Amino acid sequence: MDNSTSDTFSNRLDFAAAKVAVTLEALLGNAPLDGEIARPAYLISAMRHGVLNGGKRLRPFLVIETARLLGAPEGAALRVAAALECIHCYSLVHDDLPAMDDDDLRRGQPTVHIAFDEATAILAGDALLTLAFDVISAPETALPAEVRLRLVNALSRAAGVGGMVGGQALDLEAERVSPDEAGIVQLQAMKTGALLRFACAAGAIAAGGDDAIVARMTRFGEIIGLAFQLADDLLDVTSDAATLGKAAGKDAARGKGTLVSLHGAPAAKQKLAALVDEAEAVLAPFGDAADTLRQAAGFIANREK
């Protein structure tokens, strides 16, 4: 990716992040919605702390760009993107807790349980998880009811026991019993890859794509999900907390197996290049219209934080 292309992609990523932030701001207001009784101010503050704290907003970006490529309504795609970010941020709030990864820093700021307290952090995560399904299922997400139902079902599968949460459970288990390479790939496909896979499938679902289109975009999401985790593992051994905005070197400290620890950094970089090529091949039928998603694959593989 040359500098001009990189600048253009960075601008698109930043612009999408800004739009998602505005949507999240509105969703995390203090005024109760119809059917709600009240929104406790302290809880809302904790939710906002866990969500409105910067970040690349990569998962929402993938929803938005896939939806744009396939012709889904922009406003509806933005709400689906914001809902997915609520799920992602809930997972970070809970992952940071002392009983899980025990982190004090997230995106360069104190984690929710440090800024507030552990009980509030648990509740903030619970509320963000629930809010995500509220947002997608609500009539304000202007998609046919059957499409909203399909999105709710797909996100439930991606976020739950057979996806992200199950992957987190396997990750905790891996601290006691090191998985083999197949186990590491499965763990990472669930813990990290499941939401990235949903992000790419969601735009196709929102656009009313047929099964073949949804399957193609799902495959693209699987590939970049593996690339994201592989890049993350590389950064854990090559970067520092100041750059990452979170603790570095924690996998090695806990003895966790990763593809980087199994095969080394040079092999991981070769695998990343191969994944980018595979992602581009999946997008080939869309021609130049998919250039932004191609750039996203390269960005994920070569990111520095």
Side-chain angles (χ1 to χ4, degrees):
M1 190 185 304
D2 62 35
N3 287 339
S4 61
T5 302
S6 178
D7 289 345
T8 301
F9 175 80
S10 180
N11 290 340
R12 289 187 75 93
L13 186 62
D14 290 345
F15 183 63
K19 291 200 294 185
V20 170
V22 170
T23 303
L24 290 167
E25 283 266 10
L27 293 171
L28 294 171
N30 289 313
L33 304 180
D34 289 344
E36 294 180 341
I37 297 169
R39 289 188 161 194
Y42 192 68
L43 180 58
I44 285 288
S45 294
M47 294 167 69
R48 291 171 65 87
H49 184 87
V51 173
L52 302 174
N53 57 357
K56 295 178 289 293
R57 310 294 189 194
L58 180 61
R59 291 157 189 80
F61 176 78
L62 291 168
V63 175
I64 291 166
E65 285 298 327
T66 305
R68 180 194 60 78
L69 173 66
L70 298 171
E74 181 179 2
L78 187 56
R79 284 179 60 89
V80 174
L84 176 57
E85 189 69 356
C86 286
I87 296 274
H88 174 55
C89 291
Y90 123 74
S91 76
L92 300 182
V93 172
H94 280 190
D95 281 358
D96 290 336
L97 288 165
M100 300 283 276
D101 288 347
D102 194 15
D103 280 313
D104 295 344
L105 196 66
R106 172 68 65 181
R107 293 172 178 168
Q109 299 180 35
T111 50
V112 175
H113 71 275
I114 295 295
F116 293 81
D117 56 73
E118 288 184 34
T120 302
I122 293 169
L123 293 174
D126 293 344
L128 288 169
L129 170 62
T130 310
L131 178 62
F133 296 104
D134 180 330
V135 171
I136 291 179
S137 62
E140 289 83 358
T141 300
L143 294 169
E146 63 272 18
V147 174
R148 283 182 277 143
L149 178 60
R150 188 177 181 187
L151 286 165
V152 165
N153 182 254
L155 184 54
S156 301
R157 300 283 174 90
V161 64
M164 181 187 68
V165 173
Q168 180 65 53
L170 292 176
D171 193 47
L172 292 173
E173 183 181 344
E175 294 182 18
R176 301 185 296 272
V177 181
S178 295
D180 59 14
E181 182 168 352
I184 291 170
V185 171
Q186 182 184 71
L187 182 164
Q188 294 180 343
M190 294 170 69
K191 180 183 177 184
T192 303
L195 291 191
L196 288 163
R197 182 179 67 174
F198 171 82
C200 298
I205 294 170
D210 61 24
D211 289 346
I213 290 292
V214 173
R216 180 171 292 276
M217 298 317 301
T218 299
R219 179 58 188 153
F220 175 74
E222 289 172 349
I223 295 164
I224 62 173
L226 179 55
F228 185 96
Q229 185 61 57
L230 193 53
D232 211 46
D233 291 342
L234 269 173
L235 288 171
D236 191 63
V237 300
T238 61
S239 193
D240 54 42
T243 302
L244 295 178
K246 61 180 182 179
K250 295 197 71 173
D251 289 340
R254 293 187 175 195
K256 284 186 182 179
T258 67
L259 295 180
V260 176
S261 67
L262 283 179
H263 301 298
K269 291 176 182 178
Q270 290 180 349
K271 178 63 173 176
L272 278 170
L275 288 169
V276 171
D277 289 343
E278 187 177 357
E280 291 178 351
V282 170
L283 295 174
F286 301 110
D288 293 345
D291 277 351
T292 300
L293 289 176
R294 290 189 186 89
Q295 292 160 19
F299 170 81
I300 285 168
N302 298 303
R303 63 199 173 92
E304 297 179 354
K305 60 181 180 178

